[in-house]
Amino acid sequence: MQKTRSKRPARGRPSKLTAEVIEILAASLERGDSLEGASAAAGISRSTLSNWLQRGARDLEEESCPIDSANGADKGAMAHEALYAELFGRVRLALARAEAENLRVIEEAGRGGARITETVRVVDKDGAVVKETTTTKQAPAQWKAAAWRLERLYPGRYGGKDRGGSGGGSLTVEIVEDAPPVRDAEAEPMGKSSAQDKGGGHDG
């Protein structure tokens, strides 16, 4: 027979964690806010959020009995305890979505081709539109966006620091325009005198 465990109701000051707070935190993080910014938006401290997340992670790892099998007052405590696990899952999902969106933007910038529309209006002194011109162009590819992603995906190869070995470090290529031609040493025989260079030499 499998034993079940019943969690005791939490004592002390009631927790501020509610379903509404979870929604605020998840929405803020998914928009790209930091954990500090999301905490401020939800009206809690960053340390409080950290404690909640640690508690939620433990609740997910532990095997606990279902709420339906609890008795009386334990049901309310266990229902509230489940909020910590829900918070942990929602925060993890929100961070993953924000990361995916940021990577999409970086990849799009690296590829280029995004359409940019610009409208210029000329108005008279009365505020009436005299002329309106709309132009559409495609954004050029931004190589720095692609380089940023490579540096973070493969820091050993594209990190910008010499790590030694054949697979580490970065390669710097310098392009010099209008460089003088390189003189081929094999084009002239060795031992040619300076007098011969000037057209001199022995007669006969």
Side-chain angles (χ1 to χ4, degrees):
M1 180 177 178
Q2 184 178 3
K3 295 182 179 180
T4 59
R5 292 178 297 174
S6 177
K7 295 184 178 179
R8 296 180 179 178
R11 295 181 179 179
R13 187 171 55 183
S15 174
K16 295 181 179 179
L17 181 59
T18 62
E20 182 181 1
V21 169
I22 293 177
E23 291 297 331
I24 295 174
L25 290 169
S28 181
L29 292 172
E30 195 165 333
R31 286 195 304 267
D33 291 344
S34 64
L35 290 173
E36 288 78 4
S39 301
I44 60 174
S45 66
R46 174 66 175 84
S47 59
T48 296
L49 178 58
S50 296
N51 293 334
W52 288 354
L53 292 174
Q54 292 175 5
R55 189 168 174 177
R58 289 195 303 266
D59 289 344
L60 287 178
E61 292 176 357
E62 295 176 356
E63 290 185 1
S64 58
C65 62
I67 296 176
D68 291 340
S69 65
N71 295 320
D74 283 349
K75 285 188 176 182
M78 292 183 65
H80 187 269
E81 194 70 24
L83 286 176
Y84 295 98
E86 180 182 353
L87 170 69
F88 181 82
R90 292 290 301 279
V91 165
R92 184 168 56 181
L93 178 61
L95 291 174
R97 287 177 174 173
E99 180 183 2
E101 175 62 15
N102 287 329
L103 288 176
R104 184 194 66 79
V105 172
I106 293 171
E107 183 176 359
E108 185 177 275
R111 294 180 182 274
R115 296 174 66 85
I116 302 175
T117 302
E118 183 181 66
T119 300
V120 178
R121 294 185 180 91
V122 179
V123 299
D124 58 17
K125 61 180 181 179
D126 297 326
V129 178
V130 177
K131 183 180 180 182
E132 180 174 305
T133 305
T134 301
T135 57
T136 301
K137 60 181 179 179
Q138 289 186 332
Q142 301 292 331
W143 69 267
K144 289 184 178 181
W148 182 94
R149 189 173 187 184
L150 284 174
E151 285 177 359
R152 282 150 182 81
L153 287 176
Y154 309 105
R157 283 182 285 176
Y158 302 98
K161 294 182 179 180
D162 188 4
R163 302 175 184 271
S166 59
S170 60
L171 177 65
T172 301
V173 179
E174 183 179 3
I175 300 176
V176 181
E177 297 181 357
D178 299 327
V182 179
R183 185 174 182 180
D184 191 353
E186 296 181 356
E188 298 178 0
M190 298 295 294
K192 192 172 183 179
S193 65
S194 59
Q196 290 175 332
D197 289 341
K198 297 179 181 178
H202 298 287
D203 295 335

